[in-house]
Amino acid sequence: MYRQLLLLGLALVLAACSPSLNWREVRPGGELKALLPCKPDQGSRRQNLAGREIEVQMLGCEAAGALYAVSVAELGEARHAQAVQVQWQANLLGNMQATASTSSAWSLKGANTLLEPVRLKARGLRPDGQPVAVEAVWFAHGTGLYHAVIYAERIAPEMSEPFFSGLELP
């Protein structure tokens, strides 16, 4: 009995010491390097954005009560980036029934100058009606449009800072 209690106690101590945000480098597509706090799942889907049928590749995972995702859409031509980004952002805000949002310029070395990188912060609702906060960025590189996003009830700097500062282009 004593040994079982000791083993249970040791297991609880080790679980408490394991980091909930275990940052790792990933490559979601193109030349982008990103950091995700957990082992990502990957997928793709076709979306109609700005009148174009576009394949969007995604990597994402959940950690510490938040969903992290990085996506890339290959546009074929960089000149389509602005229209696609505007609709992608509108879709995100509409899907979450955003009640408040702010958008600001953002900087990423290596991003295309045809599309100024943008950072969005918003509050809205999850599909189940629970409140959700979102922080997202969009930027272009070559003919790809990239999107990185965090969804959580509350987004703390220790969640967003490593994620967004970990985005790197050559």
Side-chain angles (χ1 to χ4, degrees):
M1 176 72 173
Y2 176 73
R3 184 169 186 223
Q4 289 174 329
L5 287 175
L6 182 61
L7 289 174
L8 177 62
L10 182 59
L12 290 173
V13 168
L14 289 175
C17 293
S18 68
S20 60
L21 300 178
N22 183 10
W23 297 97
R24 65 200 67 216
E25 185 178 293
V26 297
R27 292 188 176 263
E31 297 182 72
L32 179 69
K33 285 193 289 186
L35 292 178
L36 285 175
C38 40
K39 184 178 179 185
D41 292 322
Q42 64 181 25
S44 66
R45 70 176 180 189
R46 297 202 62 78
Q47 288 187 271
N48 189 326
L49 293 167
R52 302 175 53 81
E53 189 72 18
I54 298 170
E55 182 81 16
V56 179
Q57 303 288 326
M58 297 163 272
L59 287 178
C61 62
E62 291 185 52
L67 172 67
Y68 296 80
V70 181
S71 305
V72 60
E74 181 54 48
L75 304 177
E77 296 180 50
R79 65 185 174 92
H80 299 296
Q82 180 71 37
V84 172
Q85 185 273 326
V86 166
Q87 185 170 5
W88 198 338
Q89 181 175 327
N91 290 354
L92 182 146
L93 292 170
N95 288 340
M96 66 180 288
Q97 303 171 41
T99 54
S101 68
T102 59
S103 182
S104 59
W106 186 66
S107 177
L108 180 63
K109 181 182 172 192
N112 282 3
T113 56
L114 291 175
L115 175 70
E116 180 179 26
V118 64
R119 185 166 186 170
L120 172 80
K121 294 182 181 186
R123 297 210 50 82
L125 299 173
R126 295 182 190 274
D128 66 3
Q130 294 299 309
V132 66
V134 171
E135 287 192 31
V137 297
W138 285 267
F139 55 93
H141 180 72
T143 58
L145 178 62
Y146 294 85
H147 172 60
V149 63
I150 303 172
Y151 293 90
E153 184 176 338
R154 182 183 162 280
I155 299 173
E158 60 269 15
M159 298 162 73
S160 62
E161 172 56 30
F163 180 63
F164 292 116
S165 66
L167 297 169
E168 186 180 315
L169 291 167

